[in-house]
Amino acid sequence: MAYSIAVLVSGEGTNLQALIDQFADSSSIEICCVAANNSEAKALSRANEASIPTESFELGNYADRESRDVALADWISTHDVDLVVLAGYMQLLTPGFIDRFPRSIINIHPSLLPAFPGVDAIGQAIEYGVKVFGVTVHYVDHGIDTGEIIDQVSFTPSDPNDAVSIRAKASKVEHELLPSVVSKLAAA
Ligand code: GRF
């Protein structure tokens, strides 16, 4: 049976696209479902185009974050997943959600964690004046980008203040690193 991944998204979905492109013809890894916190996310159209089941779970439709995350976890569970991948999912998951998928949720973050957790990691890094940038894939725990690191890739831009080219390079690195980590976890 194929190793089955659920992908959570919020926006553009370029990391989702990298996963779709990598595993489209795979018989061993399957993207079984894609969920968003935002029904307008472009990532949902990418999933639809690839005939992957989608659903959106907008906070405004639920009493609170906890009940939204229960609905999200219930929906994911109907797909019998081995791994939940946060690919640009921009909301914090509640402890109840995280505890439903022990050591089975991973996130991609555009910094060399533990440096620069949270939002706008690249902006934070430029502001700090770092010369070496990078991307991390880590397990999700109850903190913000604090879970065990699975893999990291660093890069040294020619201009450490050029936000546009640093963001472009980080995206390129993400699109290789995330599918590669998923493949390794599936094979483990
Ligand atoms: C990525 O940079 C990811 O590291 C961050 O959010 C961004 C999502 O981009 N968490 P996309 O939606 O995959 O294009």
Side-chain angles (χ1 to χ4, degrees):
M1 207 161 95
Y3 184 83
S4 179
I5 68 173
V7 184
L8 303 193
V9 292
S10 294
E12 206 43 38
T14 62
N15 281 285
L16 169 66
Q17 191 65 56
L19 293 168
I20 291 172
D21 294 345
Q22 181 74 29
F23 301 125
D25 298 325
S26 169
S27 54
S28 54
I29 297 175
E30 180 200 14
I31 304 174
C32 61
C33 58
V34 171
N37 65 300
N38 158 23
S39 61
E40 304 292 307
K42 168 141 190 241
L44 290 175
S45 357
R46 295 178 190 270
N48 289 331
E49 233 161 81
S51 305
I52 300 166
T54 60
E55 193 58 82
S56 57
F57 296 85
E58 298 206 348
L59 199 46
N61 296 332
Y62 298 88
D64 50 29
R65 287 174 57 228
E66 282 74 15
S67 47
R68 189 272 304 277
D69 282 4
V70 168
L72 175 60
D74 285 348
W75 186 75
I76 290 172
S77 297
T78 63
H79 291 89
D80 211 9
V81 302
D82 295 298
L83 186 71
V84 177
V85 179
L86 310 188
Y89 187 67
M90 300 308 283
Q91 292 204 333
L92 291 179
L93 291 163
T94 50
F97 182 98
I98 292 163
D99 295 343
R100 291 262 302 260
F101 304 96
R103 211 175 159 73
S104 302
I105 310 174
I106 65 170
N107 179 46
I108 185 144
H109 183 77
S111 79
L112 293 171
L113 289 171
F116 313 118
V119 294
D120 192 19
I122 293 173
Q124 292 183 55
I126 293 172
E127 178 69 24
Y128 195 90
V130 305
K131 308 299 177 212
V132 178
F133 293 73
V135 169
T136 302
V137 177
H138 64 94
Y139 286 109
V140 172
D141 66 7
H142 291 179
I144 297 176
D145 301 323
T146 50
E148 180 188 329
I149 291 169
I150 303 171
D151 205 355
Q152 295 183 302
V153 172
S154 64
F155 62 92
T156 306
S158 49
D159 178 356
N161 290 306
D162 182 352
V164 172
S165 72
I166 292 168
R167 287 183 204 286
K169 173 66 179 173
S171 285
K172 196 162 178 286
V173 170
E174 288 186 339
H175 299 162
E176 285 169 16
L177 182 62
L178 187 57
S180 134
V181 168
V182 169
S183 295
K184 282 184 197 149
L185 293 176

